[in-house]
Amino acid sequence: LSKPIGALNEDRFQEFKKRYESMVQQQKSQGAQHNHHQDAPFMYGTHYSAPGYVLFYLLRVMPEHMLCLQNGKFDVPDRLFFSMQSCYESALSNNADLKELIPEFYDPDCFDFLINSMGLQLGNLQTGERVDDVILPSYAKSAKDFLRKNRAALESDHCTTHLPKWIDLIFGVTSRGSRAKTARNLFHPMSYLGPVDLDALRSDEDKNRAELQATEFGIVPDKLFRKEHPGKGESWEGTEGLVMPDVLRDSYNYGASSSDRITKKEHTGSNDGFSLEDGTNPFA
């Protein structure tokens, strides 16, 4: 929980690291005057959550939405959500797969997304096996039992003790900026654009590019916490300034003065962590 999905497999992360360092060197050779924050170096070109990734898991209960996304056809069977084992292996080895699980995986009442109750014709794998209900781990007696065990694991002492580190990665101090670099948690710069930043883009082409990036590859949530999230059993006393004030309201307020926008950039973390001026290298 203290690492992003992309850093769970060290061998794979070394590939991300090599690409990142190459981009840093390229920008330095070009000089600051030729660099734009939208083209800044990044570790991961894909994201952990996007509409398509959510529909990947919810295919069996929301097929109409997937068909809209795929121009009226289901994806190739081998790329569909057909087994938990294949998802696990892909998330650890595939450079284009950094998907987090969705909340339904921890709610026993939502077991229907694992069952092909509609009898959808999802095709056959290259092995000839038909894609039907999601193939679950052997320890799961049923889809509901699988989700019940997931919920128990999530609420275990081990997970609840380490969960604040995950909150820091997604919503907190290691979600962006120099600490995101150090935490190996730096995504494509377009992933950090908020409404204010989108409104400030000069050309329609840049705006369309940013919107497409958000739709296809996802965006980093607003930064909600300024300090490390307290651990399990720790008191919230002495954590003044932990929560960023009015973050959602402010980041969606378009009628802002230039001085207000500076505050909003602190709230949303826009462009934070993409300057090369400090010359820092988290891998040095």
Side-chain angles (χ1 to χ4, degrees), residues 59-73:
L59 166 67
R60 290 164 178 78
V61 291
M62 302 179 70
E64 67 277 14
H65 296 287
M66 178 59 80
L67 290 172
C68 287
L69 194 67
Q70 294 287 140
N71 297 318
K73 297 180 180 179

Side-chain angles (χ1 to χ4, degrees), residues 190-255:
M190 285 288 193
S191 300
Y192 298 89
L193 295 183
V196 171
D197 305 287
L198 187 62
D199 189 49
L201 294 178
R202 296 171 182 166
S203 69
D204 290 339
E205 181 180 355
D206 284 342
K207 290 182 180 180
N208 291 336
R209 178 186 173 192
E211 291 175 348
L212 180 63
Q213 174 74 22
T215 302
E216 296 288 337
F217 300 102
I219 58 175
V220 174
D222 284 346
K223 183 178 178 180
L224 301 182
F225 304 103
R226 288 174 170 166
K227 299 180 181 179
E228 293 182 1
H229 197 279
K232 180 181 179 181
E234 293 182 0
S235 172
W236 285 78
E237 296 178 4
T239 56
E240 182 179 356
L242 172 69
V243 179
M244 304 194 79
D246 300 323
V247 56
L248 296 179
R249 184 196 70 189
D250 286 349
S251 60
Y252 286 85
N253 178 1
Y254 283 84

Side-chain angles (χ1 to χ4, degrees), residues 81-95:
F81 177 35
F82 67 88
S83 82
M84 289 306 305
Q85 181 66 27
S86 67
C87 278
Y88 175 77
E89 292 174 353
S90 178
L92 288 181
S93 60
N94 186 345
N95 287 6

